[in-house]
Amino acid sequence: MDDGQAIGSGRTWFLAGMRGICSLPAMMLMLSFVGFCAFTAQAGIPVEQVVFMVGAVWALPANVILVSSILGGANLLAAFIAVTLSSIRLMPMVAALVPEIRTEKTPTWLLLFLSHFVAITAWVFAMERVHAVPREHRVTFFAGFGITLVVVNMVLVATVYRYVSEFPPIVAGCLFFLTPVYFLGSIWSSARHPVIYVALVIGLATGPFFYWLAPQFDILLAGVGGGTLAWLAERQWRKRGEVRA
């Protein structure tokens, strides 16, 4: 970004963040939400509830887990635990982003509010671009992108819901397939440690088994099992490395 942009006002940087809705990551997320919308329409979830889920839960994997838990007949506690465990993975992203955007004058309540908008797409977008933004405007820049991303996807879901509900099952299935593809692709590309790759592979491999064993808890068990096994494997690697050293 040039020097003229660097001395812009807060409004200028908020609008700059809003323009990020035209970026490739944002477009991919919007297509994935169309797939998620098709999934919920086929499941018979009312459009107002889907729009609320997009705004309140926001992270797409957490939304998928919530709907899958509902369809699987899981009780409220099981669905809550599954969504919570899915969302915990975002805490390190928040911890990494906050020091990059805050200043000494940034109120805590504002950072807590903006943390709701931190998911894979917003985090990757911000971490790639925030260093080119003057520090005093970084919070504004991220707010412009994060808030716009959520609102646009809420409007998108509300708009396309009645159309995707009329799609043939094969079309709806293809659209929904964008959701796990985007999720896995984003996690894989943003991973910074081998243990994440191991956890993903184990979770994918054990998912069908857990679906056969306990359909109501398949995603939860695959996620916890894959993560635990990956963590144990990492501990063994470290111990072997220390012994060799």
Side-chain angles (χ1 to χ4, degrees):
M1 298 180 181
D2 57 32
D3 295 338
Q5 287 179 303
I7 60 175
S9 64
R11 179 181 178 183
T12 299
W13 286 108
F14 188 88
L15 293 175
M18 291 181 66
R19 287 195 292 271
I21 196 67
C22 298
S23 64
L24 180 60
M27 294 293 183
M28 285 296 298
L29 183 63
M30 291 167 66
L31 288 174
S32 295
F33 265 107
V34 173
F36 173 72
C37 187
F39 176 45
T40 57
Q42 293 291 331
I45 300 177
V47 60
E48 60 273 11
Q49 295 183 19
V50 179
V51 174
F52 176 78
M53 289 167 58
V54 173
V57 180
W58 175 225
L60 187 54
N63 273 307
V64 173
I65 290 173
L66 178 58
V67 174
S68 299
S69 299
I70 294 173
L71 295 179
N75 57 43
L76 181 61
L77 178 60
F80 172 79
I81 293 174
V83 173
T84 300
L85 290 175
S86 170
S87 300
I88 286 176
R89 66 189 170 81
L90 302 177
M91 291 181 63
M93 296 183 187
V94 175
L97 179 63
V98 167
E100 299 295 334
I101 65 175
R102 71 179 177 186
T103 66
E104 295 180 355
K105 298 180 180 179
T106 306
T108 301
W109 68 264
L110 180 57
L111 293 174
L112 291 174
F113 170 72
L114 292 179
S115 67
H116 173 69
F117 304 97
V118 177
I120 295 175
T121 300
W123 185 80
V124 171
F125 178 89
M127 294 299 286
E128 288 179 347
R129 294 166 173 79
V130 76
H131 296 291
V133 180
R135 178 166 286 274
E136 62 270 22
H137 295 306
R138 290 180 181 180
V139 169
T140 304
F141 176 79
F142 178 75
F145 179 70
I147 294 174
T148 302
L149 192 63
V150 174
V151 172
V152 167
N153 278 286
M154 292 175 68
V155 174
L156 176 67
V157 167
T159 303
V160 305
Y161 182 90
R162 64 171 182 159
Y163 299 106
V164 297
S165 64
E166 299 174 357
F167 284 176
I170 185 62
V171 176
C174 290
L175 285 172
F176 175 62
F177 192 66
L178 293 172
T179 302
V181 168
Y182 171 80
F183 168 46
L184 293 173
S186 298
I187 290 291
W188 192 274
S189 63
S190 63
R192 295 295 182 268
H193 198 283
V195 70
I196 298 178
Y197 300 116
V198 175
L200 279 173
V201 172
I202 295 176
L204 288 172
T206 58
F209 169 74
F210 285 122
Y211 178 79
W212 171 79
L213 182 66
Q216 296 181 357
F217 304 97
D218 55 340
I219 297 178
L220 175 61
L221 292 174
V224 174
T228 301
L229 290 175
W231 175 72
L232 291 173
E234 182 192 26
R235 290 193 62 183
Q236 292 299 319
W237 293 336
R238 288 184 177 180
K239 288 181 179 180
R240 291 179 181 178
E242 292 174 357
V243 170
R244 293 176 180 175

